[in-house]
Each structure stands twice: as structure tokens, then as C-alpha cells.
Amino acid sequence: MRKPKFQSPSGMHDILPEEQKYFQKIYDVVSNIADFYGFGKIDTPVLEETELFSKGIGIATDIVKKEMYSFRTEGGNYLSLRPEWTAPVVRAYIENGMQTLPKPVKLWYFGPCFRHERPQAGRYRQFWQFGFEVLGEKNAVVDAQIIQIFYNILENLKLKNLIVEINSIGDSQCRPYYKKLLSSYFRTREISLCSDCKRRLRENVLRILDCKEEKCQPIKAEAPQTLDHLCEECRSHFKEVLEFLDEIEIPYRLNPYLVRGLDYYTKTVFEIFPEAVGEEGGSQDALAGGGRYDKLIKLLGGKDAPACGAAAGVERIVSLIKNQNIEFLKAPKSHIFLAQLGNLAKRKSLKLLEDFRKARIRISESFGRDSLRAQLSRANRAGVKYALILGQKEALEGTIIIRDMASGRQTVVKLEKVVEEMKKKLKK
Ligand code: AMP
């Protein structure tokens, strides 16, 4: 096939009707859970000031360094397409006076994000995220609840073998010392690190811990671990989070290398993975990730307040639903087809379709066609139980034919009675 003249930008995809049912199902599950746990929905603009992200996410992170779509407007402002939602949600929380609301403020969202990454399976340049943020609460129960919410959503979507990976990366009390330890450890081994990690050693030493390069693995394995260097407050907070998770029976695995790619995290960080099953299961992309960010609100100009949240990638969930052959997404089918013949009948059919819509009965049609045979063969292919036939004679008499497609038996009823009649038939 010849390439069309115009194609969607690399790494960005159309979401076609057959895909939409997955998005819709995920949206329904997420919004029901958000409702249950008392979260209010928020939408923010897809564009924000670039500085919101460079300040919030961190100037030396991959997202800000290489992955943002940024531009200068005619008016001279620097704007970026949002690569994630937490910084915009915090901006909106501060700007809209939500700091004065009773705490905590609980918000959720569902919408596209943009990152200029190398496109590959499960990694796109425009992708959808949903997420939950709890602002103004420091108790460890919130960390556990955020994890529980994401776990519940994935379980409600019938995804199996999920595992939560969790770590604590400390706070401003203990992290500087730990980073110093890490730096001196890696500095003595710099020569054996990959080129990215050599750069990270100067810019963002924590990120060496999540490097996937083969040659860095043995060096990482011997590195000091954050859990051994937490201050008292971070240690007891983390212990409580794990106790809550034990209580609600969420399976987790401690991962000392989990640091996450954004600077704003403090204390708890976590990701949820589909657990690799059997031999072929290699490293998998995370479905969701998040953690606590106790300093971000202040950093972005708000009153000092703790917070915790997470986000999940919709496309990755859709692809897992497909891989696990989950069947709950059959599109609802209509059982009735409305066929018409002649001008008057077409006009009356248009009106009749509305009567069915108001009665919430699904019905399909092919009004663009005039031949009765073509319409009935379409009804046959659609596998409906009944065809309603409105011909010229019926249109004049105010009647309509109900044809039982299996037996071929036909009955005539008054046009104004047909909705009621079909309601009865479908109930049987
Ligand atoms: P992050 O905060 O970067 O860990 O993103 C949260 C979630 O969004 C990830 O666990 C993924 O499910 C999803 N995600 C992140 N980046 C991409 C991407 N480039 N393409 C598709 N999904 C992504």
C-alpha cells in the first residue's frame, strides 16, 4: 500500500472506534473508584509555563532535559505540553485557593501527556494518563491508600499477577548524606560506568540506581542502599506504609533501586508491574508509578504542605488487557434493524428511530440505502433478532411489519405501538 501523504506524528496515534471501548471501560472503572474514595476530578490545560516543569520535575531529569515539547509563543512566553500531571495539579491547587479547603484535598485526572521519547512498544510521544493526588496529608495511610486505589483499578480491570515495587528515597534530612555516600561509591568506580551514568554521577546520582545497562549492574549491586540510610522519621513512615499494605493484603516487593525519574519525590516511591510469568517474562514496563512529594507544593510557591499521588498509563493497560485476552469488553449489540422503503417511509423511520432512542432500546439502520433486499441482508449480517420493515403501504396505513429473523414469521402492528411491542419481545 502506498504511504498516505499525511501521517500522524511519530509516536502519536489515532484512537480508533475499536480502541475507544478499552479507554471507555478504563475511564468508567477509574471514575467509579474516584467517586468511592471521594476524589474530585480536575482538568488542566495541556500547555503550561515551561518553568513549572523545570522547577517542579527538576532541571536535570530526562523529562525536562530531553523529552519536553516546548516553544516560545508570539507573545514571548515559554510554554510546554504537559509531560505529566502532578506539577500542573499542584499549580492549579495553589492558584485556585484550594490550600484553604479542609485537608486533605483529593483530586483525580484522565488525559493525554506528551514526551519526546524514542517511540517503541509501550512508549509513545502522546499517551494517556490517569492519576490521583492527595494534597495536605502526611500520614502514611495515604501512601498505602494511593497504592490500594491503583491496585484496585487494575484488579477491577481483571488484570492478573500484579506486583507493587516499593522503596523510600528519604527526605531533606537523610537524602543529602545518602547521595554523598552514593557519589563517593560511584566515583571510585566511574571508569566502569556507562556514559549516561558518568553524566548522572555529576547531575543526578540517584538515577544511576535505575540504569538498565548491563555493565552498570554489578556496580549497582554493591552500592549503598537507601533503606539503610533513612533518618528516623523516614524509616518509621516507611515501616507504617508497609504495615498498612500487609493489612490490606497487597503484594509488594522492596526494590532498593527504585528511585523514579522525577526530582520531587520524598519518602515513599512505588511502581506497579504486571509480574513476569514463566520464562519469557523479561523486564516489563510499569503500569503505574508515584509516591510522596512533601516539598513540591512549597517549591511551586504554595504553603508548605505534604502530598502523595500516582499516575498510570492508559495505553499500557489497554495492551495488557488485550494480551491477557480479557473478554468483558464486547460492544453492546442491537437486536433490532429498521428497514424502510420509499420517501414517506424514510421520513417516518427517522422519527421512529428517535422513539426507540428515548425508550433506550438499541436499534440499527441503513437509511442511506433504498433497496429493501440490501437492507435486509445487512440486518442478517448484523445478526439481529428482529427487522422492522416500513414500506410505502405501511407508511400510508400507519403500520409496520415485525419480522422474526430466525423463523421468517412476520406480524403487522400499529406504528405507534411498535416501541412497546418490541420492549415486550426483547424482555422475553
Ligand atoms: P511516570 O510518572 O513517568 O512513571 O509515568 C507514569 C505511567 O505513565 C507509567 O507507569 C506508564 O504506564 C505511563 N507512561 C509513562 N511514559 C509513557 C510513554 N512514553 N508512553 C506510554 N506510557 C507512558
Side-chain angles (χ1 to χ4, degrees), residues 115 117 122-124 127 129 260 262 286-289 311-313 316:
R115 294 185 194 171
E117 298 194 74
R123 201 165 287 282
Y124 310 109
F127 58 96
Q129 277 192 344
R260 310 255 315 125
L262 307 90
L287 296 173
R316 288 192 191 168

Side-chain angles (χ1 to χ4, degrees), residues 63 83-84 115 117 120 122-129 260-262 264-265 271-272 285-290 310-317:
I63 294 182
E84 60 101 52
R115 294 185 194 171
E117 298 194 74
Q120 50 191 295
R123 201 165 287 282
Y124 310 109
R125 289 181 172 170
Q126 175 172 344
F127 58 96
W128 287 61
Q129 277 192 344
R260 310 255 315 125
L262 307 90
Y264 52 62
Y265 287 110
E271 288 186 343
I272 304 182
D285 283 328
L287 296 173
V314 179
E315 285 85 352
R316 288 192 191 168
I317 297 174

Side-chain angles (χ1 to χ4, degrees), residues 272-286:
I272 304 182
F273 291 85
E275 194 163 34
V277 187
E279 305 236 310
E280 81 264 30
S283 77
Q284 292 259 21
D285 283 328

Side-chain angles (χ1 to χ4, degrees), residues 42 120 138 166 301:
I42 185 162
Q120 50 191 295
K138 69 175 196 310
I166 189 165

Side-chain angles (χ1 to χ4, degrees), residues 240-293:
E240 276 181 67
V241 175
L242 299 184
E243 283 166 1
F244 285 127
L245 291 180
D246 288 334
E247 186 63 36
I248 50 183
E249 295 179 4
I250 290 193
Y252 62 84
R253 189 160 53 207
L254 297 182
N255 177 356
Y257 302 127
L258 184 64
V259 290
R260 310 255 315 125
L262 307 90
D263 278 359
Y264 52 62
Y265 287 110
T266 47
K267 296 184 177 161
T268 318
V269 287
F270 77 91
E271 288 186 343
I272 304 182
F273 291 85
E275 194 163 34
V277 187
E279 305 236 310
E280 81 264 30
S283 77
Q284 292 259 21
D285 283 328
L287 296 173
R292 184 159 275 287
Y293 49 95

Side-chain angles (χ1 to χ4, degrees), residues 36-37 39 106 134 140-152 241 244-245 248 250:
F36 177 81
Y37 289 98
F39 283 73
K106 301 192 203 175
V134 177
V141 74
V142 168
D143 309 35
Q145 246 190 340
I146 288 281
I147 295 172
Q148 183 183 34
I149 284 172
F150 280 84
Y151 197 81
N152 286 350
V241 175
F244 285 127
L245 291 180
I248 50 183
I250 290 193

